[in-house]
Amino acid sequence: MNSADDTAGTSGTAGTAGTSGTGEAGGAGGTAGTNGAGGGPPGGGTPADASPAPAPDGTTAPAPGPDGTAATAPGRDGTRTARATPATRAAPAAGTRDRDRRRPVAAALMLVMGLAAIDGTIVATAVPQIVGDLGGFAVFSWLFSGYLLAVTVTLPVYGKLSDTFGRKPVLLAGIVLFLAGSLLCAAAWNMAALIAFRVVQGLGGGALQGTVQTIAADLYPLKERPRIQARLSTVWAGSAVAGPAVGGLLAAYADWRWIFLINLPIGAFALWLVLRHLHEPARSRTAPRPRVDWAGALAVFATGALVLTTLVQGGVAWPWLSAPSLALIGASLALAALTVLIERRAAEPVIPGWVWRRRTIASVNLALGAMGLLMIAPTVFLPTYAQSVLGLGPIAAGFVLSVMTLSWPVSAALADRVYNRIGFRRTAITGMTGALLVLLAFPLLPYPGSAWHPALLMLLLGAALGLFQLPLIVGVQSTVGWSERGTTTASVLFCRQVGQSLGAALFGAVANTALAARLTDAPVPGLPGDLDGVSHALEDPAALTGAATDHLRRAVDTAVDHVFTGAAVAAVLALLVLVFMAPRRFPVLAEHEDTTPAAAD
């Protein structure tokens, strides 16, 4: 796959930003305490579409009285927000101490996020060296697909485990598993072993992606969230952009195995920081023993793996209407039905029904799933467009895409100034409306055009999506307490990842269909009929006539235009979800309702 807002309270804990869709950082909700770690949004107000969560009897949860805890006062919109008391007015000194204590944990989270972000791109540039050493060219794509599958299907499981056993053990286990996978990848003796070890890496990566966001949400108050959000977004963007360069350098001047070995010292330092500085209170001995839905976890894992395998391999390894695709689709549906049955009977399900029964969470899940869908257009097809149509080299083509990662974190960091005025929902609608206009503008670009045309659009798209994603994640995580935040965060990330996988399959089919239509009456015979084949043909223009080259370039231009039009349809779906399904006012948890047993030291 993503609502309460935060005002000064007594819990002594706070919430902050996590990561998002393409990996960009997303916000997370939490509570702010009188120990100084807390505080509401600038000006002491709440977002315009935030409202207190109703108590079981339908009334607004009462705020604590004037005994040193937060009192309440009516706001301009009729809701009640926390009012400063002598205890909260004495908080700044403690807040300074808490910020100092949080810094090592924040550093660990940034390091862990950097590992997760760089891993997907650092391997890509070393594929020729890996294949030359290990062989297995026909299956090397599973180096990426296997990792993606493992990350995606484990997100819900790790989210539930973090709510059950705490964030720290899940994050530590994820780091250890990721580092073990990295070490095994470096020692791989053939392509099959490397793919298997990449899956092990992905099993750890799922814990990293979800738990980092949840811990950040536990530690930072709403008013500090944009700052940590910008840092996490910058780390993700910088790592994603630096990955190809680092991977190419290591493969060219050292050995491709160092691509995995470089994770070990960074991960070990992050592991030490988490062990030393992140503390969660021990569970009470009188507390009931946690019950883990292992059957549900296995069913979710198997269903997710089968669905994603169908989406990743369909239309690539075999045609969509072939026996393998139909068999996988049928097995996916059967497993999905079995998973629903298991989860409905489980006492503590991995994916509880309230994730979809609560309008706020369900609407954010669907909206961010649509965002994952539309993100395939720029991330997958824009580099091909830049090289095949504009004639740019790989580095310049990468730059055209990377400018999106420059505006995204800046927009996310400033989003709080917007949602504090107009609310979470309206801010997200504004951001997605801007993204829709950018996506619709892409097919209007001149042919062949200049490189700055798509670069400018990507700059605007990054700004729009930063404004869309952060308010939704901040809002949805703020609707739940500590015991539900991990599950909520995981559901959001899971839906976003599934959206990306669905987008890759759907838009791949769209692009190839558009190409086939354009190449039916090609000026010369023997031209390739799919996007990869056309790209390879254009890499050797001497083998083609001028007319054939121009026809192929125009065919790619048309295919990518169709993809961006499809992405615009996904943006419309996100807007429809926000307008007709998302609540107008996000329910706000009172401060004393959310206790977060996490602290930095």
Side-chain angles (χ1 to χ4, degrees):
M1 11 241 274
N2 100 314
S3 48
D5 216 356
D6 296 290
T7 53
T10 60
S11 64
T13 56
T16 190
T19 61
S20 99
T22 53
E24 309 301 337
T31 59
T34 57
N35 64 354
T46 58
D49 63 352
S51 60
D57 60 359
T59 60
T60 300
D67 57 350
T69 60
T72 62
R76 288 176 296 179
D77 57 0
T79 61
R80 300 185 68 86
T81 56
R83 183 177 64 216
T85 65
T88 59
R89 286 194 293 267
T96 301
R97 292 195 298 271
D98 287 337
R99 283 193 292 271
D100 292 340
R101 292 171 181 170
R102 288 197 304 258
R103 285 173 182 169
V105 179
L109 298 181
M110 293 168 71
L111 287 174
V112 169
M113 181 170 293
L115 286 177
I118 202 172
D119 191 80
T121 56
I122 194 173
V123 178
T125 51
V127 165
Q129 289 77 13
I130 295 174
V131 171
D133 189 11
L134 301 180
F137 178 80
V139 294
F140 82 87
S141 63
W142 275 98
L143 291 175
F144 310 99
S145 300
Y147 180 85
L148 174 65
L149 288 172
V151 169
T152 304
V153 300
T154 55
L155 278 169
V157 178
Y158 286 127
K160 183 62 178 180
L161 291 177
S162 72
D163 284 342
T164 304
F165 297 102
R167 326 296 192 208
K168 185 174 181 177
V170 174
L171 180 59
L172 291 176
I175 295 174
V176 170
L177 197 55
F178 185 86
L179 296 182
S182 298
L183 185 60
L184 290 171
C185 286
W189 53 91
N190 59 33
M191 184 61 73
L194 183 58
I195 291 172
F197 297 149
R198 282 282 288 170
V199 172
V200 175
Q201 241 190 339
L203 295 177
L208 303 187
Q209 289 198 22
T211 313
V212 163
Q213 299 179 62
T214 308
I215 292 175
D218 293 340
L219 292 178
Y220 285 86
L222 184 59
K223 73 176 183 180
E224 295 183 38
R225 206 163 299 153
R227 188 182 311 143
I228 189 65
Q229 164 69 17
R231 293 174 184 172
L232 295 176
S233 295
T234 302
V235 167
W236 188 281
S239 299
V241 172
V246 174
L249 289 173
L250 290 175
Y253 297 104
D255 187 271
W256 63 264
R257 298 179 190 272
W258 280 100
I259 289 174
F260 302 103
L261 293 175
I262 197 174
N263 293 333
L264 300 181
I266 300 173
F269 184 52
L271 187 69
W272 178 82
L273 287 175
V274 173
L275 278 169
R276 171 66 179 82
H277 295 284
L278 179 64
H279 301 286
E280 293 180 311
R283 289 181 54 87
S284 171
R285 294 184 179 181
T286 61
R289 184 176 181 180
R291 302 177 64 179
V292 180
D293 177 24
W294 294 116
L298 180 61
V300 169
F301 186 91
T303 303
L306 207 56
V307 169
L308 292 177
T309 300
T310 304
L311 294 175
V312 170
Q313 295 297 100
V316 178
W318 44 72
W320 278 109
L321 297 180
S322 65
S325 285
L326 295 177
L328 283 174
I329 292 172
S332 298
L333 293 175
L335 266 180
L338 178 62
T339 301
V340 171
L341 181 63
I342 293 173
E343 293 296 84
R344 291 185 66 178
R345 295 183 176 183
E348 293 290 339
V350 172
I351 303 181
W354 54 260
V355 168
W356 293 104
R357 286 194 299 268
R358 298 180 190 177
R359 284 180 60 195
T360 306
I361 301 176
S363 60
V364 170
N365 283 345
L366 293 175
L368 287 185
M371 190 199 77
L373 186 70
L374 72 85
M375 281 301 300
I376 291 299
T379 56
V380 174
F381 292 93
L382 186 63
T384 298
Y385 171 87
Q387 295 182 66
S388 299
V389 177
L390 302 181
L392 302 179
I395 296 177
F399 175 77
V400 171
L401 175 61
S402 67
V403 293
M404 183 173 66
T405 64
L406 301 178
S407 58
W408 191 312
V410 175
S411 174
L414 299 176
D416 69 309
R417 302 187 182 185
V418 182
Y419 67 65
N420 280 333
R421 291 180 177 272
I422 66 174
F424 295 128
R425 176 174 169 270
R426 291 179 181 176
T427 303
I429 289 174
T430 302
M432 186 50 72
T433 301
L436 174 61
L437 295 176
V438 171
L439 294 170
L440 290 175
F442 189 91
L444 302 179
L445 292 178
Y447 173 86
S450 302
W452 69 267
H453 293 151
L456 176 61
L457 291 183
M458 291 306 101
L459 192 70
L460 297 174
L461 184 63
L465 293 178
L467 199 62
F468 166 79
Q469 179 179 262
L470 181 136
L472 291 183
I473 304 181
V474 170
V476 78
Q477 287 185 320
S478 299
T479 61
V480 295
W482 187 93
S483 62
E484 296 178 339
R485 188 174 295 140
T487 299
T488 300
T489 302
S491 72
V492 169
L493 298 179
F494 178 77
C495 289
R496 190 187 64 200
Q497 293 284 87
V498 170
Q500 289 180 320
S501 299
L502 179 61
L506 178 61
F507 292 145
V510 169
N512 285 327
T513 300
L515 276 174
R518 290 283 297 182
L519 296 177
T520 300
D521 300 321
V524 292
L527 294 179
D530 58 52
L531 197 62
D532 289 337
V534 171
S535 299
H536 292 151
L538 290 173
E539 290 176 358
D540 186 18
L544 302 172
T545 64
T549 299
D550 183 68
H551 191 84
L552 286 181
R553 293 187 186 279
R554 289 184 180 275
V556 173
D557 180 65
T558 300
V560 177
D561 286 348
H562 280 66
V563 168
F564 271 81
T565 302
V569 174
V572 171
L573 294 177
L575 285 173
L576 291 175
V577 168
L578 292 176
V579 171
F580 295 106
M581 183 176 176
R584 291 180 179 273
R585 303 177 64 82
F586 278 29
V588 175
L589 283 181
E591 290 296 333
H592 63 282
E593 292 181 291
D594 180 14
T595 55
T596 309
D601 187 15

